[in-house]
Amino acid sequence: MDDFIFGTLATEQLRLERVYGLRAGISHAFRRFPRDPLPAHAIQLVLSAGPEFPVRRGWVYWTSDGSDPQGNFGHALNGFAAPLLFTHTEWDNVLWGYISYYEAVLPRFPAGTVVRYCFGLEVSGKGEVLSDHGRVFACYVDDDPLPDWTRDAIVYEVFVDRFSPAKGENWKKPKTPGGFFGGTLRGITDHLDYLADLGVNTLWLTPIFQSPSHHGYDATDFFEVEARLGSKDDLRDLLTEAHHRGIRVLLDFVPNHVSNLHPYFQSAISDPQSPYREWFTFHHYPDDYETFFGVKSLPQLNLRYPPAREYVLNAARYWLEFGVDGFRVDYAIGPAADFWADFRKVTRQVKPDCWTFGEIVDPSDVQLTFTGQLDGALDFILLEGLRQSLAFGRWDGHKLASFLERHQAYFPADFSRPSFLDNHDMNRFLWAAGNDQRRLKLAALLQFSLSGPPVIYYGTEVGLSQKRDVRQDGRGVPEESRLPMLWGKQQNTQLLNYYRKLIEVRKNFQAFSKGKFKVLDCNDWLVVLERQYEQETLAVVINLSSTSQNYSLPGQWFIQVQTDQNCERVLQDRITHLALPALGGVILSKTR
């Protein structure tokens, strides 16, 4: 089957249009160096102009007081202006023309400063043209590195309506998977011992704010808990009990859009003089407005409008002060480009060790543009590689090894990349793999061996799958991958114990989260990785083939975890010989 991963670049045509548009127009593309400036850094900004824009001169306009920069032909109307300097040209075969490049350098700024900037260029025959259709960019200047605790995080995604009813309650039986099954915050609290025993130390809760839907990504109030899920007291109890067990709690935060039932939106469309009309972008009032992916029930917030922005930022501030430990940020590429600098300032000032990472279903270069704005991004590119290799068997060992090597090298160590095999918007890995548990266990082995904090989608660890594909008759039905959690005798205890062991081994060896990464060897069917940190040396050997494979490693190695009890290890003349069954793998530690 074809794998569907939701996003703005889900097809080759969309990718080509994105590349062409960026190179053909006047584009900053977030080219800022350093990406996350410290108070000691001057800030270099780069701009490009395609062949259809004969640029004569250019300027960057900037402010550091929270207001928007404004200017006209190099004269600052608000803030400051600096000239853009031409640096070089490049020939582009796709555009069949020259791209010209310009740069400017902004001065150093004190810690805690949000710097906003935009670009204007004098284009022959067109006057002054603003880059990126007038977009205002921003960065936050401070020394606020990735919190240390996040490197050792093992995350469990809880779909709140589908995890567990409160003790004594039963699952509801809706007519469709899109109905309400009755999971609650109390249900999560009741099962914290299960989660602690599994070994996870971070919970990510899908949205809990007031909402008409089972999923909650369409809030009607950012400051209240949805009554179906519980109350603020229930959330406070959950936080207290989780923290008592050493488990941090992240909330899913949706700054980009709200429900069309949100009272502010209802006011905006019913009254042309409503104070909330500017909170949304109307193309033709009142029925044509900016939305999330064209979904009319999900109007997009205009986060360039200060009151709307403050509403969202105040919500983030409120829940951090309430006691949550950070946010998984939904659809992070949606909000205005300068929103994230303010978000970073608010979240870090309220809770300096909070963790914020984005859902950025875009390639690695786009993810990196969020450096200094968020702590990182869910690793969708790794997700694709793991599913292509291990769910579908489409990549051989050479391609997988090369991908892992390059992917690891591309990102700086302080850019957080939580890894995952599936989530609530796609087919579960086990379903995609034809319910072959060998493939799931091998994928999890590799996932837990890589640097990014691993994320487990609820139920994966006990064999929860689905009944139908999330794509039906050309439309998305993600509810198919959100079935209720399995409890008691329904659970696959062998798989559960395997996940417990994986988590235990990851916790025992810092080489996974902090160590050096190296591809030791690969062939058509085998990939051999090394993780090394201080006195720890680990090897990961996976067999992608449907037949058994043998492999030998010099030195004395001991199996820490294996996908299959049929994995065999024999030590002979200080050489470790492995016999791996089909779709089998091991993690080994080396004695010195």
Side-chain angles (χ1 to χ4, degrees):
M1 71 179 76
D2 289 331
D3 201 20
F4 178 78
I5 298 176
F6 174 79
T8 57
L9 300 177
T11 68
E12 185 174 350
Q13 181 61 33
L14 289 171
R15 296 166 195 158
L16 290 173
E17 290 174 1
R18 169 73 67 84
V19 171
Y20 189 91
L22 286 175
R23 296 183 68 80
I26 299 175
S27 176
H28 172 45
F30 300 93
R31 286 170 291 200
R32 180 176 61 244
F33 308 99
R35 292 188 176 96
D36 183 14
L38 299 175
H41 292 153
I43 305 171
Q44 180 190 15
L45 306 174
V46 176
L47 189 76
S48 64
E52 299 303 316
F53 294 91
V55 175
R56 310 310 303 166
R57 296 178 295 168
W59 306 272
V60 59
Y61 304 108
W62 57 272
T63 62
S64 58
D65 63 357
S67 64
D68 279 352
Q70 295 178 356
N72 181 256
F73 285 95
H75 175 66
L77 302 178
N78 183 56
F80 304 89
L84 288 172
L85 301 178
F86 168 77
T87 59
H88 67 285
T89 61
E90 285 182 0
W91 176 259
D92 189 281
N93 284 332
V94 175
L95 300 177
W96 203 250
Y98 289 105
I99 301 174
S100 56
Y101 288 84
Y102 307 84
E103 71 173 44
V105 178
L106 301 185
R108 298 173 178 85
F109 295 93
T113 303
V114 172
V115 182
R116 281 186 167 77
Y117 60 92
C118 62
F119 302 92
L121 295 96
E122 182 182 353
V123 178
S124 296
K126 297 183 180 180
E128 185 174 23
V129 177
L130 297 179
S131 82
D132 300 277
H133 306 288
R135 208 172 192 185
V136 176
F137 299 88
C139 61
Y140 177 55
V141 179
D142 211 338
D143 186 3
D144 56 347
L146 178 70
D148 282 341
W149 69 266
T150 68
R151 302 181 192 278
D152 297 317
I154 298 170
V155 185
Y156 191 90
E157 180 191 355
V158 176
F159 201 107
V160 182
D161 181 66
R162 307 302 166 88
F163 189 65
S164 176
K167 189 177 297 183
E169 299 291 332
N170 296 318
W171 287 116
K172 296 179 180 179
K173 297 180 180 179
K175 294 180 180 180
T176 70
F180 302 125
F181 279 83
T184 65
L185 293 172
R186 283 193 177 277
I188 300 170
T189 305
D190 292 340
H191 288 287
L192 283 175
D193 287 339
Y194 164 82
L195 295 167
D197 182 62
L198 176 61
V200 300
N201 55 25
T202 307
L203 298 186
W204 150 23
L205 308 185
T206 56
I208 62 170
F209 309 143
Q210 281 189 353
S211 160
S213 71
H214 76 281
H215 54 73
Y217 288 94
D218 51 351
T220 56
D221 191 328
F222 280 15
F223 292 86
E224 294 295 333
V225 172
E226 168 55 45
R228 286 182 297 98
L229 306 179
S231 66
K232 287 183 179 178
D233 286 340
D234 292 333
L235 177 60
R236 190 172 283 109
D237 289 344
L238 171 56
L239 291 170
T240 299
E241 293 298 321
H243 290 161
H244 177 71
R245 292 166 174 79
I247 298 174
R248 288 178 165 89
V249 180
L250 310 176
L251 296 186
D252 215 319
F253 194 68
V254 189
N256 182 72
H257 50 271
V258 295
S259 167
N260 63 336
L261 300 180
H262 195 293
Y264 295 172
F265 182 72
Q266 286 295 308
S267 173
I269 60 174
S270 61
D271 178 8
Q273 304 305 316
S274 168
Y276 300 110
R277 180 168 172 175
E278 295 301 316
W279 285 50
F280 306 92
T281 302
F282 289 95
H283 304 301
H284 186 275
Y285 183 82
D287 55 357
D288 184 10
Y289 46 86
E290 197 71 27
T291 67
F292 171 76
F293 273 82
V295 180
K296 299 291 284 186
S297 62
L298 297 176
Q300 181 168 309
L301 286 165
N302 175 17
L303 294 180
R304 292 251 63 239
Y305 185 57
R309 178 179 297 223
E310 283 304 307
Y311 171 75
V312 175
L313 294 175
N314 285 339
R317 180 184 292 109
Y318 177 83
W319 293 110
L320 289 175
E321 291 174 344
F322 192 92
V324 305
D325 300 289
F327 301 109
R328 176 268 192 189
V329 183
D330 184 72
Y331 192 56
I333 64 169
D338 67 326
F339 170 78
W340 295 111
D342 289 334
F343 182 82
R344 178 71 159 199
K345 181 175 183 177
V346 166
T347 54
R348 276 299 200 264
Q349 289 185 349
V350 173
K351 181 166 286 191
D353 70 340
C354 71
W355 189 19
T356 59
F357 56 86
E359 180 205 33
I360 304 168
V361 193
D362 274 54
S364 301
D365 59 340
V366 175
Q367 292 183 1
L368 270 186
T369 65
F370 284 82
T371 303
Q373 317 286 295
L374 296 169
D375 288 313
L378 285 162
D379 202 337
F380 276 89
I381 301 302
L382 176 63
L383 167 83
E384 292 189 54
L386 295 178
R387 288 168 75 99
Q388 289 295 322
S389 303
L390 298 164
F392 303 113
R394 294 171 179 165
W395 288 10
D396 64 15
H398 299 288
K399 185 169 183 177
L400 176 59
S402 176
F403 165 77
L404 292 173
E405 200 166 38
R406 295 177 184 185
H407 190 64
Q408 179 75 14
Y410 185 81
F411 288 93
D414 58 354
F415 188 86
S416 188
R417 294 181 290 117
S419 66
F420 61 111
L421 301 179
D422 46 19
N423 69 16
H424 56 274
D425 282 331
M426 64 186 67
N427 284 320
R428 284 184 173 270
F429 187 96
L430 190 55
W431 168 265
N435 288 315
D436 189 338
Q437 291 186 20
R438 297 175 304 170
R439 291 188 175 276
L440 172 60
K441 292 169 73 174
L442 192 60
L445 183 94
L446 181 53
Q447 177 196 11
F448 274 73
S449 302
L450 301 174
S451 300
V455 180
I456 302 169
Y457 183 39
Y458 82 98
T460 294
E461 79 281 7
V462 294
L464 179 58
S465 187
Q466 60 198 72
K467 298 177 181 179
R468 289 175 291 272
D469 197 273
V470 299
R471 299 293 290 177
Q472 298 173 19
D473 300 322
R475 63 188 182 94
V477 190
E479 297 85 0
E480 297 290 355
S481 65
R482 305 170 185 173
L483 298 182
M485 175 67 175
L486 302 175
W487 294 110
K489 294 181 179 180
Q490 293 179 305
Q491 293 186 338
N492 182 325
T493 55
Q494 190 273 336
L495 186 59
L496 176 59
N497 288 331
Y498 174 75
Y499 263 91
R500 286 175 177 150
K501 184 62 176 178
L502 269 182
I503 293 172
E504 177 189 349
V505 169
R506 184 172 177 95
K507 286 182 172 180
N508 287 342
F509 293 97
Q510 289 188 299
F512 292 124
S513 59
K514 300 177 182 177
K516 295 179 181 178
F517 174 93
K518 181 180 179 181
V519 174
L520 281 181
D521 198 3
C522 66
N523 58 33
D524 288 346
W525 303 115
L526 290 173
V527 174
V528 185
L529 309 177
E530 180 185 83
R531 303 305 313 268
Q532 195 277 328
Y533 180 74
E534 294 182 347
Q535 302 304 309
E536 299 175 359
T537 302
L538 301 167
V540 183
V541 187
I542 64 173
N543 175 15
L544 300 172
S545 77
S546 56
T547 59
S548 61
Q549 300 288 325
N550 298 319
Y551 190 78
S552 299
L553 282 163
Q556 189 170 355
W557 297 80
F558 294 91
I559 293 177
Q560 294 296 325
V561 61
Q562 57 196 20
T563 59
D564 191 306
Q565 292 303 314
N566 292 322
C567 297
E568 296 181 1
R569 166 194 166 272
V570 175
L571 178 66
Q572 186 176 21
D573 298 328
R574 297 197 61 80
I575 296 177
T576 301
H577 301 280
L578 298 172
L580 299 178
L583 298 171
V586 294
I587 295 175
L588 308 131
S589 62
K590 186 178 185 181
T591 59
R592 292 181 178 272

